[in-house]
Amino acid sequence: MNPPRTGRVWSPVVTPFADDLAADLRRFTAHCRWLLDNDVGLAVFGTNSEANSMTVGEKRALIDTLAEAGITGEQLMPGTGSCAIGDAVELTRHAVDNGCAGVLMLPPFYYKGVSDEGLYRYFAEVIERVASPSLKVYLYHIPPVSQVPLTLDLIERLHRTYPDTIAGIKDSSGEWSNTQALIEAFGGEIDVFAGSEHFLLNTLRAGGVGCISATANVNPGPIASLAHTWQEADADTRQAELTALRREFERFPMIPALKAATALYANDAAWRRVRPPLVELDDAQCQALKQALDARGFAMPGRAG
Amino acid sequence: MNPPRTGRVWSPVVTPFADDLAADLRRFTAHCRWLLDNDVGLAVFGTNSEANSMTVGEKRALIDTLAEAGITGEQLMPGTGSCAIGDAVELTRHAVDNGCAGVLMLPPFYYKGVSDEGLYRYFAEVIERVASPSLKVYLYHIPPVSQVPLTLDLIERLHRTYPDTIAGIKDSSGEWSNTQALIEAFGGEIDVFAGSEHFLLNTLRAGGVGCISATANVNPGPIASLAHTWQEADADTRQAELTALRREFERFPMIPALKAATALYANDAAWRRVRPPLVELDDAQCQALKQALDARGFAMPGRAG
């Protein structure tokens, strides 16, 4: 396939919260800078960002905060999908106005069992209302959470109608066969991202672009490194290491575990907080996570302090 | 049990949309007036209202429209639950400020498999932030759609902490055994509503309050009538008639069918419109629905024009 439009590895940036649960702008900006220093793009407002636990106003303000900190739009791929078209349009427009590389769009996820026709109309309505040649939409397939899958037929129809706007897809189905089918169907035309580094090497070898992964929040350097040097001889070994580390996180609820690791390895307890309905890891869980990560020599170099 | 705090039958009011998909204020107000004329309360912003397809701003404006039309808060039980605490607080406050009888609260529904502890913190946070003695919360259990159930343990804990605020529950599980368990556990203390008229008579006989039902949008009079005269000799016959009529609607996607029936029997085609990701019934489906309803002598008396 052609070179990807964007970076190969993105992180759904975890969002730090203050004790009143407001977004913590200082910690957020610091974390974003560290990710960029490690060659990982900022897919802010993803599932692992607790994005749907924030209002549109809160998310707009976070984009503004990054802009004021000099973090430019091309390093950003905000999640903007929402149940309500009005919310999706408002946040997508704000992303476009800030020159974002793209937006990662969930389907509307309240109603279940909806038709491809209905989902097509939703995405088309958002695209038509935003009405910008700068808009690049990355579709977000995450049926284990959204419970609303995006079929190949739907993606094909959207891409046919909006070839300059539909730029890619993130596949968080957790099924390699689906990622493979997406690459076979669209790999020459749109950027296919695996939903985690589990399938990073497979994705790159098949002609996909890279991954957008929760654990890129804590292990960005090694993931980005594999994405750029995947044709080297030790690629399988490095993939196995990434996978083994990721599995340590998967033994816990992912978002609380990412935040606990950041709290532990950046030595900043405030990072543990999550918004309801999530619950932070308890002390025993933190200890178990630390023990497992220490045993693998895990670190977050440059992140402390 | 004690007399219910509110009316016995509520309708999750279907929301009419103009051809640009904006809420149609005139048709909305007219439909609300007709429901009230038929002794059915206005549970605006329910699942069948396409509430999650609307922004908080749109929902605030609809409450304001009803207030301007002289429809008072005691006739309203708006749905205010949302994935984001900030959205839920804003809309709940607006409902309280307008003197609404209560609010019907979905749990946050993006994350799946969340704990009772996390859900408790969510509801507690909203209640503490709204901080009004006028707030009456009706919890909304609808696992087939939200995929996030409310357990008896959770309800009990919330009611114990906030006995003056947790006022009731709507059970849209579709399982009579669950409604029965709720009435047995809480029927003396909070108002238990069945999620449809299927279980209206069972609910009333067991000590529940009534129902909050999609089809009260189109068949309000007979449902409200049974709720008020359920101790009369012909109650079972009337329940069977309500159930048979409801089943005709259940052969189609419910929201498009409710709107199609309103379009057909109020002779106003604009009512057919839905917001994506829903799709309106096609002509053949409308015809099949009308044939089935005509065969049952269905009408919406006083609704035409």
Side-chain angles (χ1 to χ4, degrees), chain B residues 35-55:
Chain B
L35 293 173
L36 292 174
D37 287 346
N38 282 277
D39 206 16
V40 161
L42 308 174
V44 296
F45 317 149
T47 297
N48 289 279
S49 312
E50 298 170 77
N52 287 311
S53 302
M54 294 192 276
T55 67

Side-chain angles (χ1 to χ4, degrees), chain A residues 20-22 46-56 58 82-87 106 108-112 114-115 117-119 121-122 125 129 140 142 144-147 255 274-280, chain B residues 20-22 46-56 58 82-87 106 108-112 114-115 117-119 121-122 125 129 140 142 144-147 255 274-280:
Chain A
D20 65 354
L21 296 182
T47 296
N48 288 280
S49 312
E50 298 171 77
N52 287 309
S53 302
M54 295 193 275
T55 66
V56 170
E58 290 180 305
S82 170
C83 293
I85 287 172
D87 287 334
L106 277 171
F109 52 84
Y110 182 64
Y111 296 107
K112 309 304 186 293
V114 294
S115 65
E117 172 66 23
L119 292 172
R121 291 185 192 181
Y122 170 90
E125 190 73 26
R129 289 189 186 203
Y140 186 9
I142 182 168
V145 183
S146 68
Q147 305 277 330
I255 299 167
V274 292
R275 278 194 180 178
L278 303 186
V279 175
E280 68 285 349
Chain B
D20 65 355
L21 296 182
T47 297
N48 289 279
S49 312
E50 298 170 77
N52 287 311
S53 302
M54 294 192 276
T55 67
V56 171
E58 289 180 306
S82 169
C83 293
I85 287 172
D87 287 334
L106 277 172
F109 52 84
Y110 183 64
Y111 296 108
K112 309 304 186 294
V114 294
S115 65
E117 172 66 23
L119 291 172
R121 291 185 192 182
Y122 170 91
E125 190 73 26
R129 289 188 186 204
Y140 186 8
I142 182 169
V145 183
S146 69
Q147 304 278 329
I255 299 166
V274 292
R275 278 193 181 179
L278 303 186
V279 175
E280 69 284 349

Side-chain angles (χ1 to χ4, degrees), chain A residues 175-198:
Chain A
E175 293 168 20
W176 168 244
S177 61
N178 192 65
T179 310
Q180 197 169 30
L182 288 167
I183 295 171
E184 278 168 19
F186 309 112
E189 295 170 10
I190 68 176
D191 291 353
V192 178
F193 288 94
S196 88
E197 69 273 31
H198 277 308

Side-chain angles (χ1 to χ4, degrees), chain A residues 86-108:
Chain A
D87 287 334
V89 168
E90 181 182 343
L91 194 56
T92 302
R93 245 186 221 142
H94 196 64
V96 168
D97 289 346
N98 277 271
C100 290
V103 297
L104 191 57
M105 280 194 66
L106 277 171

Side-chain angles (χ1 to χ4, degrees), chain B residues 84-305:
Chain B
I85 287 172
D87 287 334
V89 168
E90 180 182 344
L91 194 56
T92 301
R93 246 186 219 141
H94 197 63
V96 168
D97 289 347
N98 277 269
C100 290
V103 297
L104 190 58
M105 280 194 65
L106 277 172
F109 52 84
Y110 183 64
Y111 296 108
K112 309 304 186 294
V114 294
S115 65
D116 274 7
E117 172 66 23
L119 291 172
Y120 176 84
R121 291 185 192 182
Y122 170 91
F123 285 110
E125 190 73 26
V126 174
I127 291 168
E128 299 281 354
R129 289 188 186 204
V130 174
S132 168
S134 308
L135 173 61
K136 301 296 169 195
V137 170
Y138 292 76
L139 300 167
Y140 186 8
H141 177 62
I142 182 169
V145 183
S146 69
Q147 304 278 329
V148 178
L150 305 179
T151 66
L152 268 68
D153 281 353
L154 171 66
I155 300 163
E156 196 279 329
R157 185 176 169 201
L158 282 167
H159 182 247
R160 187 160 23 95
T161 313
Y162 303 105
D164 298 329
T165 303
I166 301 296
I169 182 155
K170 174 183 180 186
D171 181 10
S172 293
S173 67
E175 294 169 18
W176 168 244
S177 60
N178 191 64
T179 310
Q180 196 168 33
L182 287 167
I183 295 171
E184 279 168 18
F186 308 112
E189 295 170 11
I190 68 176
D191 292 352
V192 179
F193 288 93
S196 88
E197 69 272 31
H198 276 308
F199 301 125
L200 177 56
L201 195 53
N202 281 354
T203 295
L204 293 163
R205 284 175 175 162
V209 159
C211 69
I212 304 176
S213 175
T215 33
N217 273 290
V218 290
N219 195 31
I223 299 174
S225 168
L226 179 60
H228 292 292
T229 60
W230 62 275
Q231 286 161 313
E232 293 183 5
D234 64 346
D236 285 288
T237 308
R238 286 187 291 145
Q239 174 67 63
E241 285 167 6
L242 296 182
T243 299
L245 186 71
R246 168 129 185 153
R247 291 222 167 102
E248 301 295 357
F249 282 91
E250 290 175 346
R251 291 164 54 216
F252 301 90
M254 180 58 77
I255 299 166
L258 294 171
K259 289 186 151 183
T262 308
L264 289 163
Y265 291 86
N267 197 22
D268 181 1
W271 262 102
R272 271 173 70 181
R273 278 186 212 105
V274 292
R275 278 193 181 179
L278 303 186
V279 175
E280 69 284 349
L281 296 197
D282 64 26
D283 290 343
Q285 288 174 308
C286 285
Q287 206 166 7
L289 177 64
K290 185 160 194 310
Q291 214 158 28
L293 295 179
D294 281 350
R296 295 198 176 274
F298 176 77
M300 292 172 67
R303 186 66 188 76

